[in-house]
Amino acid sequence: MQIKDRAIVLQCVKYADKKHIVKLYTEHHGVLSCSARVSNSSSSKIKTSSLIPLSILEVDIIAKENKDVKTLVEANAAFIFTELHFDLNKISIAQFLAEILNKVLKEQIGQTELFDFIAKQMVVLDSATKNFSSFHIHFLIDLLDHIGLSPNNNFDTSNKFFDCREGKFTPLELPFPNGLNESSSELLSQLLRDKDPDHTLDPASRNMLLDTLLAYYRYHIPGFNEIKSWDVLKEVFAG
């Protein structure tokens, strides 16, 4: 079967000379793992630059019955990034989000709305000129909406503390990062309510919220473990 679709690169691993295993999130077929012959020669239909994580592609895939790994035969840019793969700050965010998506997206079922959300957000990040140091926080909150795991935003005078385990605000304060203190809980509630992408956070608040969101993802998504790129991202946006 031949598959022509839009795809977002989640991961690319080289395993032999010119051979790669590429994990793609496709618009109509969900997550697909593909083998690919990659070369930078002028005649190559799949170039190394096409397989950078979070690239948005038009792909041609051959799928054989009873084979989990498909064959990627052609990949062309559906959108050409001008900064996402060249700006250190944006590269760090992209690597972090690619690692998150690689753990979150599992199903071989297409979801056009989710695909469009991810693709549009990458275009927004590519063109951002200021106030994107908290982009990944807003992305993770919005992603929860799209995968049906958004916390219950019931913050009030009786429920002042966010509980990662329950996914809601409760009267009882839990130790960080499984829960947040009152001021941090109120900030998270505001972000859940307003969804303002221009809402910037100071480094301490950003790190605290991100640690909590990652704990929330671990509680509610099976197999969601350590995010290795988090330490790099924290260093890049330390100031």
Side-chain angles (χ1 to χ4, degrees), residues 150-164:
S150 187
N152 179 14
N153 191 9
N154 63 315
F155 179 88
D156 58 24
T157 54
S158 299
N159 300 288
K160 299 186 289 187
F161 305 105
F162 183 66
D163 183 335
C164 280

Side-chain angles (χ1 to χ4, degrees), residues 137-139 141-142 145 150-151 153-155 169 185-201:
I137 298 285
H138 299 288
F139 182 96
I141 290 173
D142 290 342
D145 264 347
S150 187
N153 191 9
N154 63 315
F155 179 88
F169 297 86
S185 294
E186 186 172 6
L187 175 58
L188 176 59
S189 175
Q190 182 182 348
L191 293 175
L192 289 169
R193 181 182 67 249
D194 297 341
K195 300 187 182 300
D196 180 4
D198 294 325
H199 188 137
T200 55
L201 303 165

Side-chain angles (χ1 to χ4, degrees), residues 105-124:
L105 304 176
K106 305 290 186 183
E107 296 182 347
Q108 291 187 342
I109 300 173
Q111 296 184 55
T112 296
E113 185 178 340
L114 177 55
F115 182 94
D116 284 342
F117 160 72
I118 298 168
K120 287 175 182 177
Q121 288 300 300
M122 293 309 101
V123 173
V124 168

Side-chain angles (χ1 to χ4, degrees), residues 88-89 91-101 103 132-138 140 176-177 201-218 224-239:
L88 176 60
N89 292 338
I91 289 171
S92 300
I93 291 175
Q95 289 176 336
F96 173 78
L97 294 181
E99 190 175 356
I100 293 285
L101 291 169
K103 295 178 184 296
F132 63 84
S133 61
S134 301
F135 178 90
H136 43 294
I137 298 285
H138 299 288
L140 290 184
F176 177 81
L201 303 165
D202 62 83
S205 295
R206 188 166 57 238
N207 291 343
M208 173 272 301
L209 284 173
L210 194 48
D211 277 332
T212 303
L213 284 169
L214 291 178
Y216 181 82
Y217 272 75
R218 281 194 295 274
F224 190 98
N225 46 27
E226 180 188 5
I227 301 298
K228 296 177 182 178
S229 56
W230 171 209
D231 288 336
V232 175
L233 187 64
K234 193 183 297 186
E235 287 296 321
V236 169
F237 289 103

Side-chain angles (χ1 to χ4, degrees), residues 13 18 31 33 43 76 83 111 113 117 129 136 151-152 155 159-160 174 179 219-221 225 231:
V13 179
K18 296 185 180 179
V31 176
S33 292
S43 61
N76 297 296
E83 291 192 15
Q111 296 184 55
E113 185 178 340
F117 160 72
T129 56
H136 43 294
N152 179 14
F155 179 88
N159 300 288
K160 299 186 289 187
L174 292 176
Y219 269 119
H220 298 279
I221 298 177
N225 46 27
D231 288 336

